[in-house]
Amino acid sequence: MQQPPRANSSATVTKLPWHQTLVGKVVVFMLLGVMFAYLMGALSGFLMVERGAREQWRREAQVNAQIVSATIRRIYTSVAVSADETGQITRIISQRPIGDEESVLETGFSPVDVLALASAQTRNNVWLFGATPEGSLKVVADALNASPDSEAALTVSTWQSTAEATDFYVGFALVGSQQHFISSLPIVTPDGKLLGVVVSTIGQRDVLYQMRNDLIGKALMALLAVLVATALMLSILMRHLFRPVPTLIRSLAAIAKNQTQSPTPYTARNDEIGRMAKAIDALRKKVIEREHLLDIKDEALRFQHLAHHDELTKLPNRIQLNDALKAAELSLLQGDVFNVMLFDLDYFKDVNDSLGHAVGDALLIDVSQRVQGLLKDNDLVARLGGDEFAIIQRVAGSAPEEEAKALADNIVATLGAPFQIEAQEITISVSVGIARAPVDGDTSYDLLRNADIALYAAKAKGRNRYMLFASGMKMMANTDERGQSCTG
């Protein structure tokens, strides 16, 4: 019985690209997490700084408005102010425009002088704008003479018209061609008519936002530094933590190739790596056990094969023949018919004695192959020992005797043809005895005995022939190759 070869699975371990490794994925994930957290924190901090800066600008602008209004009241004693519930000056009330010729004659101060006093305290420029008949605000005086264009106007994006300038305003505005963060203090008549506005700045927009830009630049540099440091730290940490993983992968690959001699490392660890290593080592032991069981099974199958087959010709032996005869005997109850043939080689002992047992063995192998080529699928040929063989012929038709004769004729003719063994031509003959079931017996014992009697009858007739068992045949103690003869 031929055993199928056992497949030996193999696995190769290839080096993965960095971004596909476990360490690479963890590092990328952690870097993305750090970047996200840092950006969220930086955005929150930026918004807080922006809000705080605007609040600081607003308070500073309101203080400047208070300083400017106080300076104007000290110079122009005829003016009044109005304030809100917090005390913040929101308007300057005057019967006539501030800084006209009459006020200059009364006070001895020009508008520029007054604004310069206020600018000295606020440390920033102060403008006086007057309302024009066209509904715009044009510069009247400039504390620092920073507006070369005498027609410079005040533009606030949130004002729909000059009428809205009657309200106190703090925020960004366009003074001439430059953006400033200002406080606009309206100058109105007692009945609310707009005469002009006094504008004080805390600084230009670009200067004020320079701090924000510096903050953003520093935040980006800090982010880059944090990411580089984080990447290095994570790479070192992950490589340390996951260093056993490639080793365990190699262990698994070795197990896949049935290389189970080396024990799995890291089994002494108490973390997840240790659990993985223990699981891999348990798998290794199971593979060893499986291989051992397969070896035992293969050995058992080999012994079973040897127990039921002839070692030389690989044909079924007497044990398998007896089992097959018992099965065939039972099949008689279902109406099956079969023939039992016994045959041996005439004068085979002479071949062994003259040419040697090696040639004799080769001859037996060639004989078995020739006979196998004559049988049908359901037929069986077995070697009983020496040069003795037996055949169970399953009868397919309704003429068991004719089928037996046809097969026996073929055996005699085929084995009578010369054999070429070790460059020698050997010619032998064969004697065949046939018993038919159930005509000549319905038990394996009777069939084998009657086939044997027919075989001796064929030898007594001169060999190189076959004989069917007939009633009345019996063994007789005369000379023949086995020391016996038969009559019928």
Side-chain angles (χ1 to χ4, degrees), residues 219-232:
L220 291 177
M221 292 299 296
L223 173 61
L224 180 61
V226 168
L227 289 179
V228 172
T230 303
L232 291 175

Side-chain angles (χ1 to χ4, degrees), residues 264-277:
T264 306
Y266 304 110
T267 53
R269 293 179 57 157
N270 296 321
D271 55 4
E272 288 81 356
I273 295 294
R275 292 184 180 181
M276 183 187 300

Side-chain angles (χ1 to χ4, degrees), residues 132-181:
T132 65
E134 294 81 12
S136 62
L137 294 171
K138 296 296 183 179
V139 66
V140 175
D142 181 351
L144 302 179
N145 292 318
S147 300
D149 184 5
S150 60
E151 299 296 324
L154 175 65
T155 305
V156 178
S157 61
T158 59
W159 290 352
Q160 301 297 323
S161 65
T162 309
E164 297 188 35
T166 57
D167 294 327
F168 179 67
Y169 171 76
V170 174
F172 283 106
L174 187 64
V175 180
S177 60
Q178 295 179 339
Q179 283 274 355
H180 289 263
F181 196 91

Side-chain angles (χ1 to χ4, degrees), residues 280-328:
I280 294 174
D281 198 59
L283 176 63
R284 181 184 68 87
K285 293 176 180 177
K286 289 294 183 182
V287 171
I288 294 175
E289 182 180 351
R290 173 180 171 272
E291 291 298 313
H292 181 64
L293 291 175
L294 288 176
D295 290 341
I296 293 175
K297 180 181 178 182
D298 291 344
E299 192 70 13
L301 291 175
R302 189 177 71 85
F303 281 119
Q304 183 182 12
H305 185 272
L306 291 176
H308 291 81
H309 289 79
D310 175 56
E311 187 174 0
L312 175 65
T313 62
K314 310 307 179 187
L315 292 178
N317 58 12
R318 186 182 296 273
I319 295 175
Q320 191 169 347
L321 174 69
N322 290 334
D323 293 340
L325 277 175
K326 290 178 181 179

Side-chain angles (χ1 to χ4, degrees), residues 358-397:
V359 174
D361 290 344
L363 177 61
L364 291 174
I365 293 173
D366 287 353
V367 167
S368 66
Q369 292 174 350
R370 287 190 185 185
V371 174
Q372 281 181 299
L374 302 176
L375 303 181
K376 298 178 183 178
D377 292 340
N378 293 332
D379 296 343
L380 179 141
V381 57
R383 183 189 177 199
L384 304 183
D387 63 324
E388 296 178 85
F389 297 84
I391 294 175
I392 299 176
Q393 180 192 27
R394 296 283 184 173
V395 177

Side-chain angles (χ1 to χ4, degrees), residues 388-438:
E388 296 178 85
F389 297 84
I391 294 175
I392 299 176
Q393 180 192 27
R394 296 283 184 173
V395 177
S398 57
E401 184 173 329
E402 298 303 321
E403 291 190 29
K405 290 179 179 180
L407 177 57
D409 268 332
N410 287 334
I411 292 174
V412 172
T414 300
L415 298 186
F419 292 85
Q420 292 292 332
I421 300 175
E422 295 183 0
Q424 300 184 70
E425 183 176 289
I426 301 175
T427 302
I428 61 171
S429 62
V430 62
S431 300
V432 183
I434 305 170
R436 297 153 296 171

Side-chain angles (χ1 to χ4, degrees), residues 177-297:
S177 60
Q178 295 179 339
Q179 283 274 355
H180 289 263
F181 196 91
I182 67 165
S183 61
S184 174
L185 190 61
I187 305 171
V188 297
T189 62
D191 59 359
K193 180 183 178 181
L194 181 65
L195 298 176
V197 294
V198 178
V199 173
S200 63
T201 179
I202 67 169
Q204 294 183 16
R205 181 188 185 98
D206 294 342
V207 175
L208 294 175
Y209 272 100
Q210 184 62 42
M211 182 178 68
R212 185 196 65 175
N213 296 335
D214 291 343
L215 176 63
I216 293 175
K218 291 178 181 178
L220 291 177
M221 292 299 296
L223 173 61
L224 180 61
V226 168
L227 289 179
V228 172
T230 303
L232 291 175
M233 288 175 48
L234 286 176
S235 296
I236 296 172
L237 179 62
M238 292 301 103
R239 287 184 182 277
H240 176 72
L241 291 178
F242 292 102
R243 183 177 297 173
V245 173
T247 304
L248 294 178
I249 291 175
R250 287 192 292 270
S251 296
L252 277 175
I255 293 173
K257 293 186 287 187
N258 286 330
Q259 298 173 1
T260 55
Q261 299 84 2
S262 301
T264 306
Y266 304 110
T267 53
R269 293 179 57 157
N270 296 321
D271 55 4
E272 288 81 356
I273 295 294
R275 292 184 180 181
M276 183 187 300
K278 291 182 178 70
I280 294 174
D281 198 59
L283 176 63
R284 181 184 68 87
K285 293 176 180 177
K286 289 294 183 182
V287 171
I288 294 175
E289 182 180 351
R290 173 180 171 272
E291 291 298 313
H292 181 64
L293 291 175
L294 288 176
D295 290 341
I296 293 175
K297 180 181 178 182

